[in-house]
Amino acid sequence: MDPLRADPLAVLRKRTSVKWRAYPDDVLPLFVAEMDYPLAAPVKAAMVAVIESSDLGYIAGSEALAAPYSAFAAERWGWQVDAAGIRTTTDVSVAAVEALRQAIEPGDAVVIMPPVYPPFYEFVAEAGGVVREVALLEMSATAASPESPPFEGAPSEHPGDAVAGTASEHWMIDLAGLERALAEGATAVLLCNPQNPLGVVHSAASLERVAELAQRYGAMVVSDEIHAPLVYDASTFTPFLSVSAAAREVGFTVTSASKGWNLAGAKCALIVAQSERILALVDAMPAEVVMRTSQLGLHGSVAAFADGVPWLDSAIAAIEANSELLAELLAEHLPGVVFRRPQASYLGWLDFTALGWGDDPSIRALVEAKVALMPGPDFGPPGRGFVRLNFACSPEVLTEAVLRLARVANADADAEAAR
């Protein structure tokens, strides 16, 4: 599969999305999760057809998207989804909040697992809950913990050099910590799979255990699977609702074509229920939850799941190549920065601790290197000293970004040597 080519900067800077309007033109914007690739032809054609038909009214229902998504899930992950359990809404943020509103009472504790997508904190508050953090375990710490032994196949040592190992070898769900939180009264778990910003694809065994614990303690699980279409090896991804009957009795899946096909502004997401109990909760949501779905987003998403797989595979090829390039660039120019290659999506979780750039290295990256990155601390306490870098760009932009960062680091080294 030939990788996609990103649009040139001169074209990208004509875009009006936040990625291209938040900073001046001398800044390379590698912060927000938008890709620099041109829109998939089937998606573009579907949206143009809607406009040419002046068909921009309210959606008639979710059925048009349910069947293409079910077919995609079956082909991609071997997940047999009952299309009758699929509803749509504007975006995954809304889907997560509305699912949590059905899952909890005001004041209930909701478990999130940092480092994790920063709006998770806001979703819990918006739904009326209180965040209970159960941070993902680092494998070095896991190996020393009698309560949470390493999962089968885990490495025996912490990866030693700057780019050794993958995210999946380094992080895992703290199942013992999760059980403590549920035993102490947490009533819901907001799960991220694949995990943003790490690109970790949680194992089937871990997900099955999450479902067991939730069922045992009377809790519910909302699984955000928005990055799932971008898993590099689709066979490694396990949808939460596919792992067990327990998962289907306690879980909602919220997902979208928006990350896989770069459609965030089109405003269409899915809420998936695969049991009568959960579907009843979904259908108890206000009617406006479904009605807010964008007509453009609905038809663009149908085209993405039905006809956009070749484009998706080309995007993944480009992203994987850039993941490898990023590892090489860091090893050569910024060897103090730790990067463990993800299993999914286009987000690099970079540890700048050894460079001494403080809790939020994105500040110096922006001010001195003119590279806009996401601040690590926004992802929770484990993010201190980290940044998130979006590498769904051209190899040339990625190379220039690392070289800019390296110039700042080299200037620090020169200044230290001159003392």
Side-chain angles (χ1 to χ4, degrees), residues 353-399:
T353 303
L355 270 60
W357 287 21
D359 283 352
D360 184 2
S362 73
I363 297 171
R364 291 195 67 190
L366 178 61
V367 173
E368 299 180 46
K370 302 296 182 182
V371 177
L373 305 171
M374 282 287 286
D378 289 359
F379 295 81
R384 288 191 290 268
F386 286 76
V387 295
R388 193 191 74 178
L389 180 150
N390 174 351
F391 53 83
C393 57
S394 70
E396 294 79 13
V397 166
L398 182 59
T399 299

Coordinates of all heavy atoms in Angstrom, one line a residue, residues 353-399:
T353 N 12.3 14.6 29.9 CA 12.8 14.8 31.3 C 14.3 14.9 31.3 O 14.9 15.8 32.0 CB 12.4 13.6 32.1 OG1 11.0 13.4 32.1 CG2 12.9 13.8 33.6
A354 N 15.0 14.1 30.5 CA 16.5 14.2 30.5 C 17.1 15.5 30.0 O 18.2 15.9 30.3 CB 17.1 13.0 29.7
L355 N 16.3 16.2 29.2 CA 16.7 17.5 28.7 C 16.6 18.7 29.7 O 17.1 19.8 29.5 CB 16.0 17.9 27.4 CG 16.6 17.4 26.1 CD1 16.8 15.9 26.1 CD2 15.9 17.9 24.9
G356 N 15.8 18.4 30.8 CA 15.7 19.5 31.8 C 14.8 20.7 31.3 O 15.1 21.8 31.8
W357 N 13.8 20.4 30.5 CA 13.0 21.5 30.0 C 11.7 21.7 30.9 O 10.8 22.4 30.6 CB 12.5 21.2 28.6 CG 13.5 21.3 27.6 CD1 14.9 21.3 27.8 CD2 13.3 21.5 26.2 NE1 15.5 21.5 26.6 CE2 14.6 21.6 25.6 CE3 12.2 21.6 25.4 CZ2 14.8 21.8 24.2 CZ3 12.4 21.8 24.0 CH2 13.7 21.9 23.4
G358 N 11.7 21.2 32.1 CA 10.7 21.4 33.1 C 9.5 20.5 32.9 O 9.5 19.6 32.1
D359 N 8.5 20.8 33.8 CA 7.3 20.0 33.7 C 6.5 20.1 32.4 O 5.9 19.1 32.0 CB 6.3 20.4 34.8 CG 6.7 19.9 36.2 OD1 7.7 19.1 36.3 OD2 6.1 20.3 37.2
D360 N 6.6 21.2 31.7 CA 5.9 21.4 30.5 C 6.9 21.9 29.4 O 7.1 23.0 29.1 CB 4.8 22.5 30.6 CG 4.0 22.7 29.4 OD1 4.2 21.9 28.4 OD2 3.1 23.5 29.4
P361 N 7.5 20.9 28.7 CA 8.5 21.2 27.7 C 7.9 21.9 26.5 O 8.6 22.5 25.7 CB 9.1 19.8 27.3 CG 8.7 18.9 28.4 CD 7.4 19.4 29.0
S362 N 6.6 21.9 26.3 CA 6.0 22.5 25.2 C 6.2 24.0 25.2 O 6.1 24.7 24.1 CB 4.5 22.2 25.1 OG 3.7 22.9 26.1
I363 N 6.4 24.6 26.4 CA 6.6 26.0 26.4 C 7.9 26.4 25.7 O 7.9 27.3 24.8 CB 6.7 26.5 27.9 CG1 5.3 26.2 28.6 CG2 7.0 28.0 28.0 CD1 5.3 26.4 30.1
R364 N 9.0 25.8 26.0 CA 10.2 26.1 25.3 C 10.1 25.7 23.8 O 10.7 26.4 23.0 CB 11.4 25.4 26.0 CG 11.7 26.0 27.4 CD 13.1 25.5 27.8 NE 14.2 26.1 27.0 CZ 15.4 25.7 27.1 NH1 15.8 24.7 27.9 NH2 16.3 26.3 26.3
A365 N 9.5 24.6 23.6 CA 9.3 24.2 22.2 C 8.6 25.2 21.3 O 9.1 25.5 20.2 CB 8.5 22.9 22.1
L366 N 7.6 25.9 21.9 CA 6.9 26.9 21.1 C 7.7 28.2 21.1 O 7.9 28.8 20.0 CB 5.5 27.2 21.8 CG 4.7 28.3 21.2 CD1 4.4 27.9 19.7 CD2 3.4 28.5 22.0
V367 N 8.2 28.7 22.2 CA 8.8 30.0 22.3 C 10.2 30.0 21.6 O 10.5 30.9 20.8 CB 9.0 30.4 23.8 CG1 9.8 31.7 23.9 CG2 7.6 30.6 24.4
E368 N 11.0 28.9 21.8 CA 12.3 28.9 21.3 C 12.5 28.2 20.0 O 13.3 28.5 19.1 CB 13.3 28.4 22.3 CG 13.3 29.2 23.6 CD 14.3 28.6 24.7 OE1 15.4 28.3 24.3 OE2 13.8 28.5 25.8
A369 N 11.7 27.1 19.8 CA 11.9 26.3 18.5 C 10.8 26.6 17.5 O 10.9 26.1 16.4 CB 11.9 24.8 18.9
K370 N 9.7 27.3 17.9 CA 8.6 27.6 17.0 C 7.9 26.3 16.5 O 7.6 26.1 15.4 CB 9.0 28.5 15.8 CG 9.6 29.8 16.2 CD 8.6 30.7 16.9 CE 9.3 32.1 17.2 NZ 8.3 32.9 18.0
V371 N 7.8 25.4 17.5 CA 7.1 24.1 17.2 C 6.0 24.0 18.3 O 6.3 24.0 19.5 CB 8.0 22.9 17.3 CG1 7.2 21.6 17.1 CG2 9.1 23.0 16.3
A372 N 4.7 23.9 17.8 CA 3.6 23.8 18.8 C 3.3 22.4 19.1 O 3.0 21.6 18.2 CB 2.4 24.5 18.2
L373 N 3.4 22.0 20.3 CA 3.1 20.7 20.8 C 2.1 20.7 21.9 O 1.9 21.8 22.5 CB 4.4 20.0 21.3 CG 5.6 20.0 20.3 CD1 6.9 19.5 21.1 CD2 5.3 19.1 19.2
M374 N 1.5 19.6 22.2 CA 0.5 19.5 23.3 C 1.3 19.4 24.6 O 2.1 18.5 24.8 CB -0.4 18.4 23.2 CG -1.6 18.6 22.2 SD -2.8 19.8 22.8 CE -3.7 18.7 24.0
P375 N 0.9 20.2 25.7 CA 1.6 20.0 27.0 C 1.3 18.7 27.6 O 0.2 18.3 27.8 CB 1.0 21.2 27.8 CG 0.4 22.1 26.8 CD 0.0 21.3 25.7
G376 N 2.4 18.0 28.1 CA 2.2 16.7 28.7 C 1.4 16.8 30.0 O 0.5 15.9 30.2
P377 N 1.5 17.8 30.9 CA 0.8 17.9 32.1 C -0.7 17.9 31.9 O -1.5 17.6 32.8 CB 1.3 19.2 32.8 CG 2.7 19.3 32.2 CD 2.6 18.9 30.8
D378 N -1.2 18.4 30.7 CA -2.6 18.4 30.4 C -3.2 17.0 30.4 O -4.4 16.8 30.6 CB -2.9 19.0 29.1 CG -2.7 20.5 29.0 OD1 -2.3 21.1 30.1 OD2 -2.9 21.1 27.9
F379 N -2.4 16.0 30.3 CA -2.9 14.6 30.2 C -2.9 13.9 31.6 O -3.1 12.7 31.7 CB -2.0 13.8 29.2 CG -2.1 14.3 27.8 CD1 -1.3 15.4 27.4 CD2 -2.9 13.6 26.9 CE1 -1.4 15.8 26.1 CE2 -3.0 14.0 25.6 CZ -2.3 15.2 25.2
G380 N -2.6 14.7 32.6 CA -2.6 14.2 34.0 C -1.3 14.2 34.6 O -0.3 14.4 33.9
P381 N -1.1 13.9 35.9 CA 0.2 13.9 36.5 C 1.3 13.1 35.9 O 2.4 13.6 35.9 CB -0.2 13.4 37.9 CG -1.6 13.7 38.1 CD -2.2 13.6 36.8
P382 N 1.0 12.0 35.3 CA 2.1 11.2 34.6 C 2.7 12.0 33.4 O 3.7 11.6 32.9 CB 1.5 9.9 34.2 CG 0.3 9.7 35.0 CD -0.2 11.1 35.2
G383 N 2.1 13.1 33.0 CA 2.5 13.8 31.8 C 3.6 14.9 32.1 O 4.1 15.5 31.2
R384 N 4.0 15.0 33.4 CA 5.0 16.0 33.6 C 6.3 15.7 33.0 O 6.8 14.5 33.1 CB 5.2 16.2 35.2 CG 4.0 16.9 35.9 CD 4.4 17.2 37.3 NE 4.5 16.0 38.1 CZ 3.5 15.5 38.8 NH1 2.3 16.1 38.8 NH2 3.6 14.4 39.6
G385 N 6.9 16.6 32.2 CA 8.1 16.4 31.5 C 7.9 15.9 30.1 O 8.9 15.6 29.4
F386 N 6.6 15.6 29.7 CA 6.3 15.1 28.4 C 5.6 16.1 27.5 O 5.1 17.1 28.0 CB 5.3 13.9 28.5 CG 5.9 12.6 29.1 CD1 6.2 12.5 30.4 CD2 6.2 11.6 28.2 CE1 6.8 11.3 31.0 CE2 6.8 10.4 28.7 CZ 7.0 10.3 30.1
V387 N 5.6 15.8 26.2 CA 4.8 16.5 25.2 C 4.2 15.5 24.3 O 4.6 14.3 24.2 CB 5.6 17.5 24.4 CG1 6.2 18.6 25.2 CG2 6.7 16.8 23.6
R388 N 3.1 15.9 23.7 CA 2.5 15.0 22.6 C 2.7 15.7 21.3 O 2.4 16.9 21.1 CB 1.0 14.9 22.8 CG 0.4 13.8 22.0 CD -1.1 13.8 22.0 NE -1.7 14.9 21.2 CZ -3.0 15.1 21.1 NH1 -3.9 14.3 21.7 NH2 -3.4 16.1 20.3
L389 N 3.3 15.0 20.3 CA 3.6 15.5 19.0 C 2.8 14.7 17.9 O 2.7 13.5 17.9 CB 5.1 15.3 18.7 CG 5.6 15.8 17.4 CD1 7.1 16.2 17.5 CD2 5.6 14.7 16.3
N390 N 2.1 15.5 17.1 CA 1.3 14.9 16.0 C 2.2 14.7 14.8 O 2.7 15.7 14.2 CB 0.1 15.9 15.7 CG -0.7 15.5 14.5 OD1 -0.3 14.6 13.7 ND2 -1.8 16.2 14.2
F391 N 2.4 13.5 14.4 CA 3.3 13.2 13.2 C 2.6 12.8 12.0 O 3.2 12.3 11.0 CB 4.4 12.2 13.6 CG 4.0 10.9 14.1 CD1 3.6 9.9 13.3 CD2 4.0 10.6 15.5 CE1 3.2 8.6 13.8 CE2 3.6 9.4 16.0 CZ 3.2 8.4 15.2
A392 N 1.3 13.2 11.9 CA 0.5 12.9 10.6 C 0.7 14.2 9.7 O -0.2 14.9 9.4 CB -1.0 12.7 10.9
C393 N 1.9 14.3 9.3 CA 2.4 15.5 8.5 C 3.3 14.9 7.4 O 3.6 13.7 7.3 CB 3.0 16.5 9.3 SG 4.4 15.9 10.3
S394 N 3.9 15.8 6.6 CA 4.9 15.4 5.7 C 6.2 15.0 6.4 O 6.5 15.6 7.4 CB 5.2 16.5 4.6 OG 5.9 17.6 5.3
P395 N 7.0 14.1 5.8 CA 8.3 13.8 6.4 C 9.2 15.1 6.5 O 10.0 15.2 7.5 CB 8.9 12.8 5.4 CG 7.7 12.2 4.8 CD 6.7 13.3 4.7
E396 N 9.0 16.0 5.6 CA 9.8 17.3 5.6 C 9.5 18.1 6.8 O 10.3 18.7 7.5 CB 9.6 18.0 4.3 CG 10.1 17.3 3.1 CD 9.2 16.2 2.5 OE1 8.0 16.2 3.0 OE2 9.7 15.5 1.7
V397 N 8.2 18.3 7.1 CA 7.7 19.0 8.3 C 8.2 18.4 9.5 O 8.7 19.0 10.5 CB 6.2 19.2 8.2 CG1 5.7 19.7 9.6 CG2 5.8 20.2 7.1
L398 N 8.0 17.1 9.6 CA 8.5 16.3 10.8 C 10.0 16.5 11.0 O 10.4 16.7 12.2 CB 8.1 14.9 10.7 CG 8.4 14.0 11.9 CD1 7.7 14.4 13.1 CD2 8.0 12.5 11.5
T399 N 10.8 16.4 10.0 CA 12.2 16.5 10.1 C 12.6 17.9 10.6 O 13.4 18.1 11.5 CB 12.9 16.2 8.7 OG1 12.6 14.9 8.4 CG2 14.4 16.4 8.8

